[in-house]
């Protein structure tokens, strides 16, 4: 293991502090930060506007080291999925979704996930420097969604640091509206995020009542719907958008009936919200099935008739297992040369 400081982990305030200890002024930190994040440079010798003595000092004590790319897959629809190496046998996945008017990077916040939602194949922790990698590869990232593997609010400090680098004008300069964090509903952490760094919020609701939600999402026992919606309402005071996005995965025969849509409309009636319906992406032994397009359309219509903005998420990259809920950090153990599934929660139906 290297003893050097990896500058990719540093927010600008942290880098400023770190360079101050070496006797350097704050504007040096901004210069180094821009070299790294805006120009994708990892070699201190190439940072030509720094004094030679500083370049040498950096060369001895620091490094810019992204995780190795274990694999790269390209979907027929242009979606790209990378598997990054984050340490012994662990991989995290990042997906780039190109669209006409934007490029969205879907970022994982943990290796797997401990929350074990029944319909999700992501099964536990780590963090990433994937925005840097994507930008260096010339991909135009205009939006970031923390919707990959893992529960971002359960990896709070690193996620907040990573998002603050995304937002920093000396790095990627994304606006808080263009960075969306998706959570399964860790209520106390939603309140913490409001204080620390309120970005656009998406909440995985997936059910119109506690009975159904607890059946498919164990976290609902700890933070039932009423407490979740109260936290959402409170979050809106600081949010960069004036609504919360509620994600709703459509599971055949579980939560996809018109009466569920009516119950959902009633539940969200007084909360500024948008609903994003997600067709379930199957994976082996999930125990769930995708709702038919017709059922999804009927559900959407009930919501729209009730005055909601309700969209259906397009499935992208499913031919390379890059669609929502299909990221499982599959790593090839080079010793045994066989794929390892990190964790697949057992179906809870
Ligand atoms: N842990 C966070 C963010 C990652 S999941 C969360 O749960 O919100 C991103 C979104 O994909 C969530 O809304 C999640 O419920 C959804 N998802 C998980 N598995 C899925 C699947 N198999 N098919 C479709 N969407 C899925
Ligand atoms: Fe974790 Fe989100 Fe998957 Fe649930 S849906 S297991 S919270 S990543």
């Amino acid at each position: 293991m290297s003893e050097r400081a990896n500058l990719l982990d540093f927010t600008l305030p942290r880098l400023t502090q770190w360079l101050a200890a070496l006797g350097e002024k704050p504007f040096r930190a901004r210069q180094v930060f821009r070299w790294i994040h805006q120009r994708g440079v990892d070699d201190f010798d190439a940072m030509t506007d720094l004094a030679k003595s500083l370049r040498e000092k950096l060369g001895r004590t620091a490094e810019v080291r992204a995780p190795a790319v274990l694999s790269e897959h390209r979907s027929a629809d242009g979606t790209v999925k990378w598997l990054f190496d984050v340490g012994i046998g662990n991989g995290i996945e990042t997906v780039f979704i190109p669209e006409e008017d934007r490029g969205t990077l879907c970022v994982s916040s943990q290796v797997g996930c401990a929350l074990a939602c029944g319909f999700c194949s992501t099964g536990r922790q780590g963090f990433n420097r994937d925005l840097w990698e994507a930008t260096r590869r010339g991909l135009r990232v205009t939006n970031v969604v923390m919707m990959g593997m893992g529960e971002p609010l359960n990896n709070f400090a690193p996620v907040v640091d990573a998002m603050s680098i995304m937002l920093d004008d000396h790095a990627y300069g994304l606006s808080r509206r263009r960075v969306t964090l998706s959570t399964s509903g860790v209520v106390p952490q939603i309140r913490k995020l409001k204080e620390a760094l309120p970005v656009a919020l998406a909440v995985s609701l997936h059910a119109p009542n506690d009975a159904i939600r607890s059946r498919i999402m164990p976290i609902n026992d700890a933070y039932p719907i009423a407490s979740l919606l109260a936290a959402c309402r409170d979050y809106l005071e600081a949010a960069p958008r004036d609504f919360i996005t509620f994600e709703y995965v459509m599971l055949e025969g579980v939560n996809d009936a018109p009466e569920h849509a009516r119950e959902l409309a009633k539940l969200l009636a007084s909360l500024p919200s948008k609903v994003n319906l997600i067709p379930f992406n199957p994976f082996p032994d999930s125990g769930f099935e995708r709702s038919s397009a017709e059922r999804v359309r009927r559900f959407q219509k009930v919501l729209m008739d009730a005055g909601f903005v309700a969209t259906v998420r397009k499935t992208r990259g499913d031919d390379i297992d890059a669609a929502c809920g299909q990221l499982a950090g599959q790593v090839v153990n080079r010793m045994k040369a066989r794929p390892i599934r990190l964790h697949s929660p057992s179906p809870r139906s």
Side-chain angles (χ1 to χ4, degrees), residues 307-328:
F308 283 84
V309 175
T311 50
V312 179
R313 187 175 293 174
K314 265 187 281 169
T315 296
R316 298 286 302 260
D318 53 345
D319 54 339
I320 54 168
D321 278 355
C324 305
Q326 289 185 325
L327 304 182

Side-chain angles (χ1 to χ4, degrees), residues 116-196:
C117 301
F119 51 81
C120 177
S121 70
T122 297
R124 242 175 195 265
Q125 63 155 325
F127 210 60
N128 53 75
R129 293 116 192 182
D130 27 22
L131 181 55
W132 185 75
E133 265 302 335
T135 305
R136 234 161 89 91
R137 285 157 184 258
L139 297 174
R140 203 176 61 94
V141 178
T142 63
N143 296 61
V144 174
V145 293
M146 309 292 294
M147 289 188 186
M149 296 162 46
E151 168 50 57
L153 295 184
N154 279 353
N155 197 14
F156 196 85
V159 164
V160 166
D161 279 359
M163 294 195 307
S164 89
I165 296 172
M166 293 168 194
L167 301 181
D168 201 304
D169 282 341
H170 297 286
Y172 305 94
L174 297 179
S175 81
R176 290 194 292 135
R177 307 164 56 86
R178 287 179 176 273
V179 176
T180 301
L181 183 145
S182 173
T183 178
S184 56
V186 194
V187 165
Q189 305 294 80
I190 293 176
R191 299 196 184 276
K192 244 172 97 178
L193 184 67
K194 178 191 173 192
E195 304 304 324

Side-chain angles (χ1 to χ4, degrees), residues 73-75 77-82 84 93-99 102-107 130-131 134-135 137-145 316-317 320 322 327:
H73 290 98
R74 283 178 186 267
S75 162
D77 67 20
T79 301
V80 191
K81 178 174 86 167
W82 298 277
F84 289 103
E93 287 170 313
T94 297
V95 180
F96 178 72
I97 308 152
E99 283 172 288
R102 59 184 167 178
T104 303
L105 198 68
C106 179
V107 173
D130 27 22
L131 181 55
T135 305
R137 285 157 184 258
L139 297 174
R140 203 176 61 94
V141 178
T142 63
N143 296 61
V144 174
V145 293
R316 298 286 302 260
I320 54 168
L327 304 182

Side-chain angles (χ1 to χ4, degrees), residues 263-276:
E263 199 179 352
L264 181 64
K266 215 180 268 173
L267 184 69
L268 299 179
S270 70
L271 189 66
S273 48
K274 282 189 182 174
V275 179
N276 192 209

